[in-house]
Structures are given as structure tokens and as C-alpha cells.
């Protein structure tokens, strides 16, 4: 079944970043760290992983986005969230954001969109999901690119952006 | 005797509904698989049933987090019906994904806001195998006459039981709301691989304060007959029915 693509006129958007709370074991961070070491890149200190929801809509404001994050997306026990529009660089960390390329179906985004509309917080929205990786260690840009293309994403269907603090 | 009506809630991605229906029918209930939209559109009434089962599976593809979307949907669209169902002292069962839904919607453990969660397994993998379980002395009436150590299969990636803080864990323990714990073959509480997900206190299942709402990660519906056990040829047991069968039977007998 073809899903209807909503018509969103303005470029009004927010990004919700959902990450593991304090003292919660970040399984994916650990697994990725292991995979990077297996790649032969040993001077890696820490890896953290967050989920991103980029929400675009006509009638959005920060209050509504906070409601979406708190009521619909985060796990109130183990997760926390941040809301922003522009990715901030962070000292000592490499930040990699991964999104699906335009035209690639985003099923998680579609589910999140349906939940948002059913909750009546927004009338309509475009939701794009992505992943954000924080990598700490003395690494070169070449090594980061190798990590991205061999471990973190599939370059055929995903785009990535690298930020260095 | 009138049969006990069991509603097996189905949504996109549910995949243990058939075997749950079969298990309930086997113990003498009248089980029916009902899609959530039938309840929302009032084609079926929750009040016509005595037992509500949220079966295992991957509701809505486990998008966002396992059970999260269905928990939101229940909160938004079915909450009044569920409240009445609980007030009428009827039974709610959540198995695997159903447990995740009950916990994330706050129905378990205290029917309030969400106080516990089921996090990703410590191993970072989908754990699909048999485990030993210790049946705790709890307030739950459905584990009567069940042996102390039983076997059941688990199949989940997000099953690590995690309360919000120590106080909540203490309250659950003090109220005797823990129904099952992972253990080794002799009943000792041990770490991985006996505890497949790293659950706090090796907790595999809990119930509500009155014991009528239960949630568990293992799948009792996948082993109601002895032929499901991997070692059934080596063990010469006369009774073809397993402790899991007895759990379903106890649920039905509660209403007789």
C-alpha cells in the first residue's frame, strides 16, 4: 500500500536526540567499539550511540516537540533526550550523524509519524530517523571514514555527516 | 459450565497469537484473536472477556522501542476500557512483547506511570533458547502447584528488567510481586548464560499487587505439552502436560 506523503510547506523542524540515561549500559556503544577494534583501529576510548528523530511540520513549536519526546518516544526509565536544530560540536569527540538517503523508505519514521498524528499533538509531520555516534580516541579523518563505511552505515542507502570538536 | 472468554490482542507484527489461542483452547477456554482496531471501533467489547492476553511478537516492528508504540496506543485509545477491566478483577497476561507493553504503559507493576522497563539484553543479541526458571512464592494465584524449577523458552532482544530505582525494586520484592526468576538447573540464581539478558535480580516475570495482571519474558505457550521439550525422549514422563499447561489451567480455574 502506498502511504500518503504529507505536504509540509515550511521548513520548520526540530531534532530530538534520544540517548541512554546515566548508569544505563550502552550495549550498542560497546558492540561498535568491539567492531572498531576488530578492524585494527586500537586507540579508541569510548563509543556512544543515540537515536535521532528529525521532525518537520507546519504547526510545530518547542513545547509540542518536548511533549512528543516525553510522551511518545523516550523510555522514561532508561532514556533521556535533547532537542536542537543544529548539531553542536563537542570537544574531544568525533560526531557522526547517519540518515537514510532521500527516497529510501524509513519505516521507523513512518511509525513515529503515525503515533504523533494519533496522539493529536501535531496535525501532520514528516519524521526522519537517524543514528548519532560519538567516538572518542586519537583518530584521523581517514580512519573515521573507514569506520563509517565499514561499520556504521551502508553508503548505498545512507548519508553521513562528520563533526569534529 | 460456561467457558471462560479469552481475548488475544493482535496488532501488526504480533506473531505468537496462534499458539497462545491454541494453548488457551487446550485448557478449555474460548480464545479469540481480536485485532486492536476491532476494539477501537467497538466491534468487539473488552468487557465480554475475562482474560486479556497481549501475546509475543514484534508489535509495530519494534519501531522506536519494543512494545512502545502499542503501549502508547493502549494509553491513548483503550485506557478507559482497560481501567474498567482491571477494576472488575479480571486477568491480564503479557507474554514477551506483551510484558514489554504492560511495563511501558505502566500497567505493571503498580498501574501508575512507567516505573520499570525492559532494556536491551546485556549481550546485545537476540537470545532465543531454553532457560530454567525458579517459581517464586508470590501473590499470583496462577502458579499454584507448579514445581519449583521449570523450563521455558525465551526469545527476545529487549528483556533486561530494570526498575527506575532501588525503592521500586524493594517494593516489588516486598509485595511478593516477582513470579519468576532465571536460575540454573538446581535453582541457584546465576549470571549469564543462565540469566539471558542481565535482568536486575534475575527477574523473568512480575505480577500486579493483587496478582491478577502478570507479565513474563519466557513463552509458556510454546511448551504446553512434553513433546516441546528438547529432551522429552530421554525423560520418561507419563504426564504429557507440562507446568506451562498448568499455568494456563490455573488462569481458567480462577474464574470457576
Amino acid at each position: 500500500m502506498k502511504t500518503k506523503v504529507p505536504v509540509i510547506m515550511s521548513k520548520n523542524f526540530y531534532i530530538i536526540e534520544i540517548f541512554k540515561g546515566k548508569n544505563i549500559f550502552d550495549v550498542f556503544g560497546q558492540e561498535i567499539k568491539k567492531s572498531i577494534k576488530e578492524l585494527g583501529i586500537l586507540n579508541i576510548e569510548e563509543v556512544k550511540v543515540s537515536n535521532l528523530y528529525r521532525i518537520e511540520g507546519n504547526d510545530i513549536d518547542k513545547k509540542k516537540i518536548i511533549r512528543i519526546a516525553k510522551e511518545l518516544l523516550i523510555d522514561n526509565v532508561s532514556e533521556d533526550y535533547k532537542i536542537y536544530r543544529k548539531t553542536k560540536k563537542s570537544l574531544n569527540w568525533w560526531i557522526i550523524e547517519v540518515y537514510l538517503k532521500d527516497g529510501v523508505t524509513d519505516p521507523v519514521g513512518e511509525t513515529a509519524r503515525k503515533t504523533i498524528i494519533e496522539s493529536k499533538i501535531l496535525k501532520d509531520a514528516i519524521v526522519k530517523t537517524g543514528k548519532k555516534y560519538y567516538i572518542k580516541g586519537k583518530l584521523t579523518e581517514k580512519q573515521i571514514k573507514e569506520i563509517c563505511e565499514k561499520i556504521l552505515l551502508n553508503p548505498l542507502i545512507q548519508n553521513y555527516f562528520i563533526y569534529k570538536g | 459450565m460456561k467457558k471462560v472468554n479469552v481475548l488475544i490482542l493482535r496488532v501488526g507484527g504480533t506473531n505468537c497469537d496462534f499458539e497462545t489461542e491454541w494453548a488457551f483452547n487446550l485448557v478449555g477456554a474460548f480464545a479469540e484473536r481480536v485485532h486492536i482496531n476491532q476494539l477501537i471501533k467497538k466491534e468487539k467489547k473488552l468487557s465480554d472477556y475475562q482474560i486479556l492476553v497481549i501475546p509475543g511478537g514484534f508489535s509495530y516492528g519494534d519501531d522506536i522501542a519494543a512494545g512502545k508504540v502499542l503501549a502508547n496506543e493502549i494509553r491513548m485509545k483503550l485506557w478507559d476500557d482497560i481501567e474498567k477491566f482491571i477494576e472488575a478483577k479480571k486477568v491480564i497476561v503479557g507474554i514477551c512483547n506483551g510484558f514489554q507493553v504492560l511495563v511501558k504503559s505502566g500497567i505493571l507493576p503498580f498501574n501508575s506511570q512507567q516505573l520499570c522497563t525492559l532494556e536491551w539484553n546485556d549481550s546485545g543479541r537476540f537470545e532465543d533458547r531454553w532457560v530454567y526458571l525458579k517459581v517464586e512464592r508470590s501473590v499470583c494465584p496462577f502458579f499454584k502447584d507448579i514445581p519449583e524449577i521449570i523450563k521455558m523458552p525465551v526469545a527476545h532482544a529487549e528483556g533486561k528488567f530494570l526498575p527506575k530505582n532501588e525503592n521500586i525494586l524493594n517494593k516489588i520484592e516486598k509485595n511478593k510481586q516477582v513470579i519468576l526468576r532465571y536460575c540454573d538447573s538446581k535453582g541457584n540464581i546465576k549470571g549469564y548464560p543462565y540469566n539471558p539478558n542481565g535482568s536486575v535480580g534475575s527477574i523473568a516475570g512480575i505480577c500486579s499487587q493483587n496478582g491478577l495482571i502478570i507479565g513474563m519474558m519466557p513463552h509458556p505457550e510454546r511448551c504446553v505439552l512434553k513433546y516441546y521439550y528438547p529432551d522429552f525422549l530421554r525423560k520418561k514422563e507419563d504426564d504429557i502436560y507440562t507446568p506451562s499447561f498448568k499455568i494456563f489451567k490455573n488462569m481458567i480455574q480462577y474464574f470457576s
Side-chain angles (χ1 to χ4, degrees):
Chain A
M1 197 178 72
K2 227 179 172 185
T3 47
K4 220 175 102 189
V5 179
V7 183
I8 307 289
M9 301 304 285
S10 73
K11 284 282 164 208
N12 200 4
F13 75 92
Y14 282 96
I15 294 169
I16 302 173
E17 179 181 343
I18 296 175
F19 51 92
K20 291 273 172 257
K22 270 184 194 166
N23 305 326
I24 304 287
F25 181 59
D26 185 355
V27 184
F28 294 112
Q30 290 299 317
E31 289 292 312
I32 290 166
K33 191 177 160 187
K34 229 196 275 172
S35 306
I36 293 173
K37 285 195 168 167
E38 279 167 12
L39 206 64
I41 300 169
L42 298 173
N43 46 354
I44 187 137
E45 287 171 39
E46 205 182 337
V47 181
K48 293 193 285 186
V49 187
S50 318
N51 289 320
L52 300 176
Y53 294 85
R54 187 185 184 278
I55 300 173
E56 206 173 302
N58 288 329
D59 54 339
I60 62 171
D61 56 48
K62 205 161 181 181
K63 266 189 190 164
K64 286 179 184 169
I65 294 293
I66 290 173
R67 270 191 69 198
I68 290 171
K70 271 189 168 174
E71 292 173 23
L72 306 177
L73 300 180
I74 67 160
D75 186 313
N76 286 308
V77 174
S78 63
E79 289 174 337
D80 215 336
Y81 69 96
K82 269 192 256 181
I83 291 169
Y84 52 83
R85 280 192 153 133
K86 208 176 162 196
T87 307
K88 274 187 196 156
K89 289 175 182 175
S90 176
L91 204 66
N92 300 329
W93 291 90
W94 286 92
I95 295 173
I96 298 136
E97 283 183 356
V98 180
Y99 285 100
L100 287 167
K101 284 183 178 170
D102 286 342
V104 179
T105 312
D106 182 354
V108 182
E110 192 54 34
T111 310
R113 175 179 161 251
K114 273 181 196 156
T115 317
I116 290 167
I117 295 168
E118 278 175 6
S119 71
K120 295 184 179 136
I121 297 174
L122 295 179
K123 278 189 194 132
D124 210 341
I126 294 174
V127 184
K128 274 188 154 190
T129 60
K131 288 258 179 203
K132 191 169 179 178
Y133 301 93
Y134 293 82
I135 299 178
K136 200 177 192 178
K138 283 180 186 157
L139 302 166
T140 61
E141 192 157 350
K142 202 182 150 199
Q143 280 175 318
I144 285 289
K145 278 191 175 159
E146 191 188 348
I147 291 168
C148 283
E149 298 200 352
K150 287 194 176 158
I151 297 170
L152 302 183
L153 61 107
N154 176 356
L156 281 179
I157 57 163
Q158 285 165 313
N159 279 331
Y160 64 101
F161 309 93
I162 299 172
Y163 303 88
K164 167 75 175 124
Chain B
M1 196 180 78
K2 203 169 171 273
K3 279 192 174 180
V4 175
N5 289 332
V6 181
L7 186 149
I8 293 154
L9 189 68
R10 211 163 57 76
V11 297
T14 303
N15 66 7
C16 294
D17 46 343
F18 272 103
E19 48 265 61
T20 313
E21 182 191 25
W22 185 79
F24 272 103
N25 284 335
L26 193 71
V27 295
F30 175 71
E32 201 179 350
R33 295 178 306 115
V34 175
H35 195 273
I36 192 164
N37 288 348
Q38 291 175 284
L39 287 178
I40 293 166
K41 287 178 191 160
K42 311 271 181 205
E43 289 168 10
K44 299 265 178 190
K45 276 195 294 186
L46 194 57
S47 54
D48 293 342
Y49 298 85
Q50 280 88 47
I51 302 180
L52 165 68
V53 187
I54 307 177
F58 301 84
S59 57
Y60 299 108
D62 277 1
D63 292 349
I64 304 176
K68 182 76 185 166
V69 180
L70 181 54
N72 287 342
E73 201 168 13
I74 285 176
R75 275 260 167 203
M76 288 187 291
K77 293 178 180 169
L78 291 175
W79 196 242
D80 291 344
D81 292 346
I82 297 270
E83 290 262 86
K84 278 181 205 152
F85 199 82
I86 295 169
E87 270 169 31
K89 298 220 156 101
K90 290 178 176 177
V91 173
I92 302 181
V93 184
I95 300 165
C96 193
N97 192 232
F99 185 25
Q100 291 160 342
V101 172
L102 291 180
V103 159
K104 287 179 184 181
S105 59
I107 296 171
L108 278 177
F110 306 121
N111 197 15
S112 57
Q113 81 264 42
Q114 189 190 345
L115 294 172
C116 302
T117 193
L118 289 152
E119 253 301 304
W120 264 84
N121 296 348
D122 275 353
S123 62
R125 284 180 199 150
F126 186 90
E127 298 280 347
D128 181 7
R129 57 189 159 84
W130 287 80
V131 292
Y132 289 102
L133 296 163
K134 193 177 177 186
V135 179
E136 290 285 316
R137 282 190 190 156
S138 64
V139 288
C140 181
F142 313 132
F143 287 80
K144 244 183 349 194
D145 307 325
I146 304 280
E148 203 187 338
I149 298 158
I150 55 176
K151 281 186 297 184
M152 267 188 217
V154 288
H156 58 251
E158 295 178 52
K160 180 184 175 180
F161 184 79
L162 202 67
K164 198 167 187 175
N165 54 46
E166 197 96 325
N167 291 343
I168 287 159
L169 181 67
N170 290 341
K171 205 174 157 191
I172 293 171
E173 298 270 6
K174 207 178 136 203
N175 291 347
K176 295 191 172 177
Q177 283 177 254
V178 178
I179 50 177
L180 294 168
R181 278 183 219 273
Y182 303 109
C183 65
D184 68 2
S185 59
K186 293 192 175 72
N188 303 312
I189 305 297
K190 280 188 179 167
Y192 192 82
Y194 297 103
N195 177 349
N197 45 40
S199 277
V200 173
S202 287
I203 292 171
I206 58 168
C207 64
S208 60
Q209 279 161 302
N210 63 6
L212 298 181
I213 306 171
I214 65 167
M216 56 172 130
M217 283 323 288
H219 286 269
E221 83 280 10
R222 291 189 188 175
C223 54
V224 285
L225 301 176
K226 73 169 183 182
Y227 309 113
Y228 292 86
Y229 288 141
D231 58 353
F232 85 92
L233 281 175
R234 273 168 278 158
K235 292 196 172 166
K236 297 234 158 31
E237 281 179 33
D238 298 330
D239 192 4
I240 65 160
Y241 299 113
T242 63
S244 304
F245 177 88
K246 184 84 183 146
I247 296 170
F248 288 113
K249 190 96 190 161
N250 284 344
M251 288 181 205
I252 303 305
Q253 274 170 353
Y254 171 77
F255 290 98
S256 58

